[in-house]
Amino acid sequence: MSLISELMSKPGVIAAGEYSFRGDRYSYEGQLEDEMARMASIMCRATSLAVRMESSMLGSLNPGNGLADARGWAVRGPKFSVCVVANTFCFLDSASGSLSDTLKLMLDELKDAHYEMI
């Protein structure tokens, strides 16, 4: 079972997918219109680039702080949560999905992922 399919089988997962770091490709499964999935992949890519840049800057100012190199990010809102690890994203219903379980699964499955952004 692919990670995307495994994520989609979890309670509360609305959509999961992957995007290219170049921003020209994405794929997903779940309850999103294609245009929303395209915008979500752009948002995930832009935020990932910013998080990587900020963690690298903090790492250069304070080596060994544990923030560099960032493997992903997550945000939890009252209705929806977003988890991104490497170039994989997952959108959750905050009331019925588990952000912790989702992040653990993504970090475990993507522990050997290539993090160089092109």
Side-chain angles (χ1 to χ4, degrees):
M1 178 184 289
S2 73
L3 174 58
I4 303 304
S5 296
E6 191 170 353
L7 286 167
M8 288 305 302
S9 72
K10 301 296 181 190
V13 172
I14 297 167
E18 298 173 312
Y19 59 92
S20 71
F21 289 122
R22 293 183 309 202
D24 60 347
R25 290 177 286 153
Y26 64 94
S27 62
Y28 71 100
E29 293 179 21
Q31 303 168 22
L32 290 178
E33 299 292 326
D34 194 54
E35 180 61 15
M36 290 184 72
R38 186 185 71 80
M39 289 190 300
S41 70
I42 291 169
M43 182 269 298
C44 291
R45 175 182 171 269
T47 304
S48 294
L49 290 171
V51 167
R52 294 269 305 185
M53 179 190 67
E54 292 165 4
S55 68
S56 293
M57 291 169 67
L58 289 170
S60 67
L61 293 173
N62 185 11
N65 66 11
L67 293 174
D69 293 319
R71 296 176 60 196
W73 55 274
V75 61
R76 181 178 172 90
K79 290 186 178 180
F80 305 106
S81 299
V82 180
C83 305
V84 176
V85 176
N87 67 334
T88 302
F89 64 86
C90 183
F91 287 74
L92 300 163
D93 179 320
S94 294
S96 60
S98 170
L99 183 60
S100 297
D101 290 348
T102 302
L103 272 174
K104 181 177 183 338
L105 173 63
M106 293 175 78
L107 288 169
D108 288 347
E109 292 295 319
L110 296 167
K111 66 180 180 259
D112 298 323
H114 183 63
Y115 287 90
E116 289 299 318
M117 296 183 185
I118 299 173

